[in-house]
Amino acid sequence: MKKVFVCTNHRKFSDQPSCAARGSELPLDFLKSEVSLRDLDIDVESSVCMGHCDKGPNIKLSAGEFLHGANRDLVSEFLLSLIHISEPTRRRGIS
């Protein structure tokens, strides 16, 4: 089973950026919904800070690949690359 972690860290008493402040709940909910609808063998979990706050929201595969600036379009592309059903996709935002 593949694991995917979505940072939902929120810095309550700081002026520094955080994934939660940048809307990480939206890509988390979208990813969980798509995985469930497609009955995929992928475990999606929320996560604490991944150390890329200025690039968030951030998603990480257990293997270490990151998706920065996660939005609905990038998450869709990321999901397709995970399940290997699409043509090769442009990997913008993925490091």
Side-chain angles (χ1 to χ4, degrees):
M1 172 183 290
K2 293 179 182 175
K3 283 194 167 226
V4 176
F5 302 93
V6 180
C7 179
T8 55
N9 189 60
H10 183 64
R11 299 173 191 256
K12 291 184 182 184
F13 303 107
S14 175
D15 60 351
Q16 294 180 349
S18 70
C19 288
R22 293 174 181 237
S24 61
E25 289 295 326
L26 294 174
L28 174 65
D29 293 343
F30 178 69
L31 190 53
K32 283 184 174 183
S33 174
E34 289 296 304
V35 166
S36 178
L37 284 171
R38 298 171 190 238
D39 195 26
L40 301 174
D41 192 26
I42 299 172
D43 186 24
V44 180
E45 298 181 14
S46 62
S47 172
V48 296
C49 185
M50 298 177 186
H52 297 280
C53 308
D54 58 330
K55 300 177 185 176
N58 296 293
I59 297 176
K60 180 182 177 186
L61 275 173
S62 56
E65 182 177 309
F66 281 90
L67 171 67
H68 304 294
N71 59 39
R72 188 179 180 115
D73 291 339
L74 288 177
V75 170
S76 293
E77 187 175 309
F78 183 68
L79 183 60
L80 290 175
S81 73
L82 286 178
I83 56 179
H84 308 289
I85 62 170
S86 69
E87 308 175 54
T89 57
R90 290 189 324 242
R91 299 180 60 95
R92 61 194 152 90
I94 299 176
S95 66

